[in-house]
Amino acid sequence: MSKQIRGVLPVILMPYADTGELDEEDFLSQADHIFDSGCDGLVVGQMSELLRLTHAERLRVAELCAKSVQGRGISVMSTGAETAEAAVEYSRHAEAAGVDALLVMHPATLPLDDDGMVEYYSRIVESVTIPIIVHHAKSLAKIPLSIDAQARLLRQYGEDRVMFKPEAQPTPPRVSQLRDATDGRARIFEGDGGMMLLDCHRRGLAGTIPATETAEIVGTLWRLLESGDRENAERIGYPLSYLMCHMMNSTDYYLSIAKRFLKERGIVKNTLVRGPSRHVLDEESWSEVDRLYTHLLTLSKELSR
């Protein structure tokens, strides 16, 4: 492994032109913002509307993911699919495009048991040479991915090949369970937008995967926690949790807010979310989250000095 996969790795929010096509310029703009904020890398993940992209778009986005880093950090591409065959194809293409690691979600329509999950992930690990992050998406798993299944994957392939993003509620104790089941070897990434980062960090994390709009906020929080400054970390962590409570009501609700944040800051040109979503953000909700977001940006700037 040529790069260490760790730290703050925000997810790119898929930008679209007015025509509805991918906006590659705004993709690269988000990458610049992420690295200018001091983050360690970027991710194309489920919050990137991955499942709403065409096959050709997914291939192109993997290429953009690798291209956008330009030697500044880590690139991680999501390559999960409904079959191992499709996931292997996406994974091999992403590796060939030059990404540093893969974020792999399990099938969302098939109720795989532990043996089925281990077989699915094993086929993907063995098809590439770069690390994979096993992504357990709590809202999409028909059968939860057990701690035992995750530990089996780590024992079989090692901590440099298999890492984990265990989005399964309650998240903090799941982090501890995975840590303990692997004798502390598991490299775990928090994936709730920083909502539970204050608690999860002390249980042992390799990093956190927020999204572009909170890159500098979560980046500051992570650095405070890494330095042991719990007092100032709480000043950011608690209001950030409240913001995430607003945003995480659904994927489309999150995107409607996050993309408006990015547009207001000039990082992207519009707030388009690909259908069939028709969610419209009401102004009362916007006024509350915008006030809180502005406070967090100001605070993160203050605490980064």
Side-chain angles (χ1 to χ4, degrees):
M1 183 172 58
S2 58
K3 294 182 181 179
Q4 189 174 21
I5 313 301
R6 64 166 292 109
V8 182
L9 309 172
V11 172
I12 295 278
L13 302 179
M14 200 57 59
Y16 303 106
D18 291 335
T19 58
E21 299 174 342
L22 297 181
D23 189 325
E24 296 190 7
E25 181 181 75
D26 280 1
F27 188 105
L28 299 176
S29 175
Q30 287 186 66
D32 289 341
H33 171 70
I34 286 168
F35 288 112
D36 288 346
S37 298
C39 296
D40 301 283
L42 57 82
V43 175
V44 172
Q46 295 308 306
M47 201 57 73
S48 306
E49 299 174 68
L50 191 77
L51 298 181
R52 299 175 183 179
L53 301 180
T54 67
H55 173 72
E57 286 172 336
R58 283 189 66 166
L59 300 180
R60 178 55 184 158
V61 166
E63 295 162 2
L64 284 173
C65 181
K67 173 185 176 182
S68 65
V69 173
Q70 297 179 343
R72 295 175 289 183
I74 301 159
S75 58
V76 182
M77 179 66 198
S78 186
T79 56
E82 288 306 292
T83 65
E85 288 80 4
V88 164
E89 181 177 327
Y90 286 129
S91 298
R92 286 174 171 165
H93 173 266
E95 180 177 31
V99 302
D100 298 303
L102 307 174
L103 178 66
V104 183
M105 194 182 81
H106 47 74
T109 58
L110 301 173
L112 296 181
D113 60 15
D114 275 1
D115 289 341
M117 285 284 201
V118 170
E119 179 184 358
Y120 168 81
Y121 281 110
S122 294
R123 289 183 63 182
I124 298 163
V125 173
E126 292 172 9
S127 73
V128 295
T129 62
I130 56 178
I132 78 162
I133 302 172
V134 173
H135 181 194
H136 177 241
K138 56 182 176 287
S139 61
L140 297 174
K142 296 296 183 183
I143 299 176
L145 180 59
S146 75
I147 296 296
D148 178 67
Q150 294 173 76
R152 284 163 59 188
L153 286 166
L154 186 136
R155 288 194 298 269
Q156 185 170 354
Y157 298 107
E159 57 266 39
D160 289 336
R161 291 296 313 280
V162 177
M163 305 170 199
F164 303 92
K165 184 174 182 251
E167 294 180 350
Q169 296 174 334
T171 303
R174 294 279 291 186
V175 170
S176 292
Q177 291 163 14
L178 181 54
R179 175 202 65 201
D180 294 345
T182 60
D183 298 320
R185 293 172 59 200
R187 299 172 63 181
I188 306 169
F189 291 81
E190 185 265 351
D192 290 324
M195 179 185 289
M196 302 303 295
L197 189 52
L198 284 172
D199 192 354
C200 288
H201 182 272
R202 67 189 178 90
R203 299 169 187 260
L205 292 178
T208 181
I209 302 178
T212 305
E213 84 286 350
T214 58
E216 61 264 73
I217 297 168
V218 177
T220 299
L221 174 56
W222 177 261
R223 288 186 287 274
L224 289 169
L225 289 168
E226 288 284 279
S227 69
D229 189 351
R230 177 78 186 192
E231 181 178 355
N232 280 319
E234 290 179 356
R235 292 176 62 192
I236 289 185
Y238 291 142
L240 176 62
S241 293
Y242 175 54
L243 177 63
M244 289 298 111
C245 283
H246 272 281
M247 296 179 70
M248 286 189 169
N249 285 290
S250 73
T251 296
D252 293 324
Y253 195 73
Y254 190 104
L255 291 171
S256 70
I257 296 172
K259 288 190 176 185
R260 186 162 174 182
F261 284 152
L262 294 178
K263 183 176 184 295
E264 294 283 333
R265 300 180 66 186
I267 298 169
V268 300
K269 293 186 285 293
N270 63 52
T271 61
L272 292 178
V273 176
R274 185 165 283 184
S277 170
R278 295 293 181 267
H279 176 76
V280 177
L281 180 64
D282 69 285
E283 286 304 309
E284 289 177 292
S285 295
W286 169 251
S287 66
E288 178 68 2
V289 295
D290 185 48
R291 178 193 62 79
L292 183 57
Y293 184 65
T294 300
H295 167 69
L296 282 165
L297 288 175
T298 301
L299 187 58
S300 64
K301 186 175 181 181
E302 172 192 329
L303 294 175
S304 292
R305 291 172 185 161

